[in-house]
Amino acid sequence: WRQRFLEAQDTNAAAIESLRDQLDALGPAPEEGETEADEIAARRAELTEDLANAEVPGRTAEAAFRRAEAIVRQIDTLVRTRQAGELMQIGPSPAIPALWPDALADFAESFREMAIETRAQWNSDITRETFRTQLPFTVVYIVIAAVLLLRGRRAMVWLTQAVLNRSRGRARWLAGFITSLFQVVVPVLGILLLLAALISTGLFGVRGTTFISALSGLGMATFIAWWIGLRLYPLHEDAPRPLAATFEYAGEMRFHAILLGVLVGLRYILSALVGVDSYSDGTRAVLYFPLLVAFGFVFLRIGRILMRSVSLSEANDDLDVTFAQRGQRLVGQALVVLAVVGPALALVGYLNAAIFAMVPTVSSLAVLALLRILHDIVVELYGLITRKSSEEAGQALTPSLISFGLVIASLPIFALIWGARPSDLLEVWAQFNAGFSVGDAQISPSVFLTFLLVFVVLFAGTRLFQSALKSTILPKTGIDPGGQNAIVSGIGYLGIGLGAVIAITTAGIDLSALAFVAGALSVGIGFGMQNIVS
């Protein structure tokens, strides 16, 4: 509704602008004690009344928009308060030995209930008939899934190596990367086929179906983590090394990547069981604590490796300690802190806070790794298009700008990972679309895009005209080369200035709002250019 009210504020916009233009054409209204012609006065009154009537829908929509805005803020505040309360909720500590037998009993009870459900399903005549009917398809699905799971990934590794061996030039790395994606796609397809085959039998109840689905999540997370580990730390020595500084720990980092995928899958299974059986707080604390400790161990090891690699570069007086490596050290320090803080929070009873601190961290690491891989893809594509070497392409500005754009585009993903709701992102997007005010000017994305498009077109036209002057017109005038260059430069500055002014006015930005800033800026420029002018 708020978005509808925002759009409704532009109701009768064209008519309102036309009425205001007509009023302006009549001239200013007479001041007190002055008179004007009866026809003009009557026309002014008529236009004023029409203007007031035309503005009613927009003003009504604006009032409704402000009311909806206030309600949305109240709802967001309430939801955030509830989320904070859940995070800070304290429960029983897993260090209490009395909780362990009950937790293990509850965990075993879940599987016992699962077996009871499956037995009850099998005792149903309808289920057995469905099973017999679907058995041929189920067997085919299971066989295909087994082949894809047991042999598919190995076959895709062989295919990737074959492509690398046969490819030459700059396309070799890109071809290998594309084929390496099938190392994830093929096993995941096998998992989905196996899941469909088992569910199609009709033998599993709510708990069984939930558990099988969670197992498929375990498999997917493991294969994805495996692929990410191999992309960051390839097995072949001649392959590009995205994280070259830590490559002496390549085998260990690959292992920890796979282990993180397994732990994420186990957490997914545990969450599924908790959702179905509604475990007590004590049972949740006991069952989650070993998982959080395992996360902490992996975080500690990865964090120490990331920090140690940067420290070695600095100790060796390596001049190539880049911004990325400094960021790598910050990530390592954060992981070491979380490795201690997360299990400690769970140990004292803040289980929700511990889960919130550690589980999204794994997803954030995965997104960071994918961004690093995407940067390599951008560099290779840029080198392939411009025919530059990998080193030259890596130092170019364009790939860096594209990668920076990808980082900005990933911010909503990080926000969702760390607990933001989709409605929160829609809220930010709505405010972004509404724009912001600079004086009397309203700056919005549409205004900015209009300005950018017009300015780029005029800038390109200026450059084209400069080229024509320099190569075709000015050489025939007899002006010395220095004068020709001065004219070309002057035309360029004039074209850029006019282009900016035309783009600003076309976008609908009121230049009078910037007049004070421009006046103050011109004074500063005047003082700065005294020596140049003299």
Side-chain angles (χ1 to χ4, degrees), residues 346-361:
L347 191 62
V348 298
Y350 290 101
L351 179 63
N352 293 335
I355 294 174
F356 177 79
M358 304 196 75
V359 174
T361 300

Side-chain angles (χ1 to χ4, degrees), residues 484-520:
Q484 295 181 23
N485 290 331
I487 293 174
V488 171
S489 298
I491 292 295
Y493 292 130
L494 180 63
I496 292 174
L498 289 177
V501 172
I502 294 173
I504 289 174
T505 54
T506 303
I509 302 175
D510 186 5
L511 288 176
S512 62
L514 306 177
F516 178 78
V517 177

Side-chain angles (χ1 to χ4, degrees), residues 23-365:
L23 281 172
D24 292 339
L26 294 179
E31 297 181 1
E32 187 176 356
E34 296 181 355
T35 60
E36 62 180 349
D38 293 340
E39 293 182 359
I40 296 178
R43 182 58 178 163
R44 187 187 303 278
E46 181 183 355
L47 290 174
T48 302
E49 183 180 0
D50 291 343
L51 178 60
N53 293 332
E55 289 178 340
V56 168
R59 295 186 181 278
T60 305
E62 183 178 359
F65 172 81
R66 297 185 183 279
R67 182 185 177 192
E69 179 78 11
I71 295 174
V72 169
R73 284 199 299 267
Q74 292 173 9
I75 294 174
D76 288 339
T77 301
L78 179 61
V79 171
R80 281 193 290 268
T81 302
R82 289 177 178 176
Q83 289 177 338
E86 291 176 358
L87 286 179
M88 300 309 298
Q89 181 180 359
I90 189 170
S93 170
I96 302 175
L99 297 176
W100 300 350
D102 292 339
L104 295 177
D106 290 342
F107 189 66
E109 181 67 16
S110 295
F111 290 93
R112 193 177 72 84
E113 291 292 337
M114 197 182 306
I116 292 174
E117 283 184 352
T118 304
R119 193 179 305 116
Q121 290 288 108
W122 177 253
N123 291 332
S124 170
D125 294 336
I126 298 177
T127 301
R128 285 200 296 269
E129 180 64 26
T130 302
F131 178 76
R132 284 192 292 267
T133 303
Q134 297 291 333
L135 185 58
F137 302 100
T138 302
V139 171
V140 172
Y141 286 163
I142 291 177
V143 170
I144 296 175
V147 171
L148 294 178
L149 287 172
L150 299 178
R151 297 292 180 182
R153 187 182 178 280
R154 185 177 301 177
M156 293 302 103
V157 171
W158 175 86
L159 177 62
T160 302
Q161 188 58 40
V163 169
L164 290 175
N165 292 336
R166 295 182 180 181
S167 300
R168 294 293 182 269
R170 298 304 305 276
R172 182 174 183 269
W173 187 90
L174 292 172
F177 172 80
I178 294 173
T179 53
S180 72
L181 292 174
F182 290 97
Q183 298 176 21
V184 177
V185 173
V186 171
V188 168
L189 182 60
I191 292 173
L192 295 177
L193 285 175
L194 182 61
L195 175 64
L198 294 176
I199 293 179
S200 66
T201 61
L203 294 176
F204 301 98
V206 175
R207 288 181 176 82
T209 303
T210 302
F211 182 72
I212 292 173
S213 300
L215 279 179
S216 66
L218 169 62
M220 293 179 188
T222 302
F223 282 114
I224 292 174
W226 195 344
W227 179 81
I228 291 176
L230 284 176
R231 296 310 308 177
L232 294 179
Y233 300 96
L235 295 172
H236 304 286
E237 295 183 356
D238 58 342
R241 301 178 177 184
L243 298 178
T246 60
F247 210 77
E248 58 181 305
Y249 305 98
E252 184 176 358
M253 293 293 276
R254 284 194 297 267
F255 171 75
H256 288 316
I258 297 173
L259 186 56
L260 281 179
V262 173
L263 292 176
V264 169
L266 292 177
R267 186 259 173 183
Y268 184 59
I269 293 175
L270 186 56
S271 298
L273 294 177
V274 170
V276 172
D277 289 319
S278 301
Y279 292 150
S280 65
D281 292 339
T283 299
R284 289 180 66 245
V286 172
L287 294 180
Y288 269 107
F289 184 69
L291 192 62
L292 295 175
V293 171
F295 273 121
F297 170 77
V298 179
F299 285 176
L300 180 64
R301 189 55 191 160
I302 293 178
R304 293 184 64 183
I305 291 174
L306 293 176
M307 290 190 299
R308 183 179 301 172
S309 62
V310 180
S311 299
L312 289 176
S313 298
E314 293 177 339
N316 296 332
D317 294 329
D318 190 351
L319 298 179
D320 292 328
V321 178
T322 62
F323 172 78
Q325 288 179 321
R326 295 188 182 94
Q328 174 182 310
R329 178 164 53 189
L330 290 176
V331 172
Q333 292 171 346
L335 289 176
V336 171
V337 171
L338 285 175
V340 178
V341 172
L345 287 173
L347 191 62
V348 298
Y350 290 101
L351 179 63
N352 293 335
I355 294 174
F356 177 79
M358 304 196 75
V359 174
T361 300
V362 182
S363 302
S364 298
L365 289 175

Side-chain angles (χ1 to χ4, degrees), residues 466-489:
Q466 282 182 288
S467 177
L469 280 176
K470 188 173 183 179
S471 61
T472 305
I473 300 174
L474 291 178
K476 300 177 181 180
T477 61
I479 301 175
D480 62 275
Q484 295 181 23
N485 290 331
I487 293 174
V488 171
S489 298

